[in-house]
Amino acid sequence: MSTTQEYINRTGKRAEAFVMMLNYLNENTNPLIIETGCARKEDNFDGDGMSTLIFDSYITERGCGEFHSVDISQENVDFANSRISNPNSKVHCSDSVIFLHGVSQDCRTQNRHIDLVYLDSFDFDPQNPHPSSQHHIYELTAAMPALQPGSLIAVDDNFDTIGKGAYVKEFMDLLGKPRVYTGYQWVWIL
Protein backbone atom coordinates (compact mmCIF):
# COMPACT_ATOMS: atom_id res chain seq x y z
CA MET A 1 0.00 0.00 0.00
CA SER A 2 1.27 3.47 -0.90
CA THR A 3 1.56 6.38 1.51
CA THR A 4 -0.51 9.52 1.11
CA GLN A 5 2.51 11.41 -0.20
CA GLU A 6 3.29 8.65 -2.71
CA TYR A 7 -0.29 8.89 -3.99
CA ILE A 8 -0.10 12.68 -4.18
CA ASN A 9 3.21 12.52 -6.07
CA ARG A 10 1.39 10.63 -8.83
CA THR A 11 -1.32 13.29 -9.31
CA GLY A 12 0.76 15.75 -11.37
CA LYS A 13 -1.23 18.96 -11.84
CA ARG A 14 -3.25 18.27 -8.67
CA ALA A 15 -0.36 17.55 -6.30
CA GLU A 16 0.20 21.07 -4.96
CA ALA A 17 -3.47 21.58 -4.12
CA PHE A 18 -3.72 18.20 -2.37
CA VAL A 19 -0.69 19.06 -0.22
CA MET A 20 -2.23 22.44 0.66
CA MET A 21 -5.61 20.89 1.56
CA LEU A 22 -4.16 18.12 3.72
CA ASN A 23 -1.73 20.46 5.48
CA TYR A 24 -4.70 22.68 6.31
CA LEU A 25 -6.65 19.68 7.63
CA ASN A 26 -3.75 18.79 9.93
CA GLU A 27 -5.03 21.57 12.22
CA ASN A 28 -8.23 19.56 12.84
CA THR A 29 -8.28 16.87 15.50
CA ASN A 30 -10.90 14.69 13.81
CA PRO A 31 -11.49 15.91 10.23
CA LEU A 32 -14.62 15.04 8.28
CA ILE A 33 -13.92 14.83 4.55
CA ILE A 34 -16.72 14.48 2.00
CA GLU A 35 -15.98 13.79 -1.67
CA THR A 36 -18.37 13.65 -4.61
CA GLY A 37 -17.36 11.35 -7.44
CA CYS A 38 -15.12 8.44 -6.43
CA ALA A 39 -12.13 6.64 -7.92
CA ARG A 40 -13.37 4.61 -10.86
CA LYS A 41 -10.46 2.84 -12.50
CA GLU A 42 -7.02 1.57 -11.60
CA ASP A 43 -4.07 3.98 -11.44
CA ASN A 44 -5.93 6.90 -13.05
CA PHE A 45 -3.99 9.50 -11.08
CA ASP A 46 -3.43 11.85 -13.99
CA GLY A 47 -6.97 11.54 -15.35
CA ASP A 48 -9.26 11.41 -12.31
CA GLY A 49 -6.80 12.26 -9.53
CA MET A 50 -7.68 9.24 -7.35
CA SER A 51 -8.64 11.52 -4.48
CA THR A 52 -10.59 8.64 -2.92
CA LEU A 53 -7.32 6.80 -2.25
CA ILE A 54 -5.61 9.96 -1.06
CA PHE A 55 -8.30 10.84 1.49
CA ASP A 56 -8.56 7.25 2.73
CA SER A 57 -4.79 7.06 3.13
CA TYR A 58 -4.70 10.44 4.85
CA ILE A 59 -7.13 9.52 7.64
CA THR A 60 -5.41 6.15 8.00
CA GLU A 61 -2.00 7.78 8.50
CA ARG A 62 -3.45 10.40 10.84
CA GLY A 63 -5.20 7.73 12.89
CA CYS A 64 -8.28 9.92 13.11
CA GLY A 65 -10.98 11.39 10.96
CA GLU A 66 -13.79 10.21 8.77
CA PHE A 67 -14.04 10.11 4.99
CA HIS A 68 -17.15 9.63 2.86
CA SER A 69 -17.37 9.56 -0.91
CA VAL A 70 -20.49 9.37 -3.04
CA ASP A 71 -20.98 8.33 -6.66
CA ILE A 72 -24.12 7.62 -8.67
CA SER A 73 -22.55 4.57 -10.38
CA GLN A 74 -22.63 1.31 -8.41
CA GLU A 75 -19.75 0.05 -10.56
CA ASN A 76 -17.60 3.03 -9.52
CA VAL A 77 -18.62 2.59 -5.88
CA ASP A 78 -17.70 -1.10 -5.95
CA PHE A 79 -14.30 -0.29 -7.46
CA ALA A 80 -13.58 2.45 -4.90
CA ASN A 81 -14.73 0.33 -1.96
CA SER A 82 -12.34 -2.40 -3.09
CA ARG A 83 -9.43 0.07 -2.88
CA ILE A 84 -10.03 1.76 0.48
CA SER A 85 -8.69 0.30 3.70
CA ASN A 86 -9.89 2.36 6.65
CA PRO A 87 -13.10 1.39 8.47
CA ASN A 88 -13.77 5.15 8.82
CA SER A 89 -13.85 5.46 5.02
CA LYS A 90 -17.08 4.71 3.19
CA VAL A 91 -18.13 5.02 -0.44
CA HIS A 92 -21.87 5.40 -0.97
CA CYS A 93 -24.00 4.93 -4.08
CA SER A 94 -26.39 7.86 -4.40
CA ASP A 95 -27.07 11.08 -6.21
CA SER A 96 -24.50 13.48 -4.76
CA VAL A 97 -26.91 16.36 -4.14
CA ILE A 98 -29.32 14.13 -2.23
CA PHE A 99 -26.42 12.57 -0.32
CA LEU A 100 -24.96 15.96 0.66
CA HIS A 101 -28.37 17.17 1.80
CA GLY A 102 -28.61 14.11 4.07
CA VAL A 103 -25.08 14.64 5.39
CA SER A 104 -25.96 18.26 6.15
CA GLN A 105 -29.01 17.18 8.15
CA ASP A 106 -26.96 14.55 10.02
CA CYS A 107 -24.23 17.07 10.81
CA ARG A 108 -26.74 19.51 12.26
CA THR A 109 -28.33 16.89 14.53
CA GLN A 110 -24.90 15.58 15.61
CA ASN A 111 -23.40 19.06 16.09
CA ARG A 112 -20.67 18.31 13.52
CA HIS A 113 -19.42 20.03 10.41
CA ILE A 114 -17.61 19.13 7.21
CA ASP A 115 -13.95 20.16 7.25
CA LEU A 116 -13.37 19.53 3.53
CA VAL A 117 -15.95 19.11 0.81
CA TYR A 118 -14.28 18.00 -2.42
CA LEU A 119 -16.58 18.37 -5.45
CA ASP A 120 -15.72 16.20 -8.44
CA SER A 121 -18.78 14.22 -9.50
CA PHE A 122 -20.05 15.39 -12.89
CA ASP A 123 -17.61 15.11 -15.81
CA PHE A 124 -16.81 18.47 -17.40
CA ASP A 125 -17.33 19.06 -21.12
CA PRO A 126 -15.65 22.28 -22.32
CA GLN A 127 -18.04 22.33 -25.31
CA ASN A 128 -21.02 22.30 -22.91
CA PRO A 129 -19.77 23.56 -19.53
CA HIS A 130 -23.14 24.48 -17.99
CA PRO A 131 -24.39 21.02 -16.79
CA SER A 132 -21.24 20.20 -14.83
CA SER A 133 -20.82 23.70 -13.38
CA GLN A 134 -24.49 23.77 -12.42
CA HIS A 135 -24.32 20.37 -10.74
CA HIS A 136 -21.37 21.42 -8.60
CA ILE A 137 -23.10 24.57 -7.34
CA TYR A 138 -26.09 22.37 -6.46
CA GLU A 139 -23.72 20.14 -4.49
CA LEU A 140 -22.28 23.11 -2.63
CA THR A 141 -25.77 24.40 -1.87
CA ALA A 142 -26.72 21.02 -0.40
CA ALA A 143 -23.53 20.95 1.71
CA MET A 144 -23.67 24.55 2.98
CA PRO A 145 -25.62 23.81 6.20
CA ALA A 146 -22.80 21.43 7.25
CA LEU A 147 -20.02 23.92 6.55
CA GLN A 148 -18.73 26.54 8.95
CA PRO A 149 -16.13 29.28 8.89
CA GLY A 150 -12.83 27.54 8.24
CA SER A 151 -14.29 24.69 6.17
CA LEU A 152 -12.48 23.98 2.90
CA ILE A 153 -14.36 23.84 -0.40
CA ALA A 154 -12.45 22.33 -3.32
CA VAL A 155 -13.53 21.71 -6.90
CA ASP A 156 -11.53 19.61 -9.38
CA ASP A 157 -11.16 20.05 -13.14
CA ASN A 158 -10.89 23.78 -13.84
CA PHE A 159 -9.30 25.55 -16.79
CA ASP A 160 -8.53 29.26 -16.39
CA THR A 161 -12.04 30.77 -16.15
CA ILE A 162 -14.18 27.71 -16.88
CA GLY A 163 -14.56 24.31 -15.25
CA LYS A 164 -16.58 22.39 -12.74
CA GLY A 165 -16.11 25.22 -10.27
CA ALA A 166 -17.25 28.15 -12.43
CA TYR A 167 -20.57 28.70 -10.61
CA VAL A 168 -19.02 27.87 -7.25
CA LYS A 169 -16.52 30.66 -7.93
CA GLU A 170 -19.32 33.11 -8.75
CA PHE A 171 -21.07 32.19 -5.50
CA MET A 172 -17.92 32.46 -3.40
CA ASP A 173 -17.13 35.83 -5.03
CA LEU A 174 -20.60 37.04 -3.93
CA LEU A 175 -19.76 35.93 -0.39
CA GLY A 176 -16.43 37.79 -0.57
CA LYS A 177 -14.44 34.57 -0.20
CA PRO A 178 -11.40 34.63 -2.50
CA ARG A 179 -9.83 31.42 -3.71
CA VAL A 180 -6.89 30.33 -1.60
CA TYR A 181 -5.67 28.05 -4.37
CA THR A 182 -6.03 28.50 -8.12
CA GLY A 183 -4.83 25.78 -10.44
CA TYR A 184 -6.45 22.70 -11.88
CA GLN A 185 -8.26 22.50 -8.56
CA TRP A 186 -9.86 25.58 -7.04
CA VAL A 187 -9.96 25.85 -3.25
CA TRP A 188 -11.72 28.25 -0.87
CA ILE A 189 -11.85 28.61 2.90
CA LEU A 190 -15.34 29.52 4.03
Side-chain angles (χ1 to χ4, degrees):
M1 177 181 292
S2 296
T3 67
T4 304
Q5 190 58 55
E6 288 169 338
Y7 283 140
I8 289 171
N9 290 345
R10 298 175 65 190
T11 65
K13 60 192 169 223
R14 294 176 176 94
E16 189 176 316
F18 278 130
V19 168
M20 187 275 300
M21 287 183 265
L22 298 182
N23 283 340
Y24 184 84
L25 287 178
N26 284 338
E27 302 300 316
N28 295 290
T29 56
N30 192 30
L32 175 58
I33 303 168
I34 306 291
E35 166 193 62
T36 66
C38 66
R40 52 190 173 176
K41 65 182 177 179
E42 198 68 51
D43 294 322
N44 196 18
F45 286 90
D46 190 50
D48 290 336
M50 304 300 281
S51 51
T52 306
L53 301 182
I54 291 168
F55 297 140
D56 173 66
S57 177
Y58 173 75
I59 67 165
T60 299
E61 288 176 10
R62 286 266 326 258
C64 64
E66 193 175 330
F67 165 58
H68 294 271
S69 184
V70 61
D71 198 289
I72 201 162
S73 163
Q74 186 64 55
E75 182 179 348
N76 293 349
V77 168
D78 292 344
F79 173 82
N81 271 321
S82 75
R83 300 308 188 274
I84 60 174
S85 60
N86 192 305
N88 290 330
S89 294
K90 307 259 187 293
V91 184
H92 310 267
C93 188
S94 178
D95 174 85
S96 58
V97 175
I98 293 168
F99 178 80
L100 288 166
H101 177 72
V103 167
S104 290
Q105 290 179 326
D106 291 346
C107 282
R108 286 194 340 213
T109 61
Q110 298 168 10
N111 197 27
R112 290 193 73 192
H113 68 275
I114 299 170
D115 296 292
L116 166 61
V117 61
Y118 185 82
L119 308 176
D120 187 22
S121 66
F122 194 116
D123 287 341
F124 181 75
D125 178 358
Q127 302 305 314
N128 186 20
H130 173 73
S132 178
S133 298
Q134 181 182 48
H135 185 78
H136 290 89
I137 192 64
Y138 289 168
E139 289 180 340
L140 178 58
T141 302
M144 282 299 286
L147 302 176
Q148 69 174 19
S151 292
L152 283 178
I153 300 162
V155 187
D156 197 26
D157 301 318
N158 298 286
F159 311 88
D160 296 321
T161 60
I162 65 168
K164 290 180 179 180
Y167 298 161
V168 171
K169 180 193 178 304
E170 288 180 18
F171 179 68
M172 297 305 282
D173 286 349
L174 289 170
L175 295 181
K177 301 291 182 180
R179 281 181 289 186
V180 295
Y181 185 85
T182 301
Y184 194 73
Q185 295 164 315
W186 292 348
V187 182
W188 295 264
I189 299 174
L190 193 59

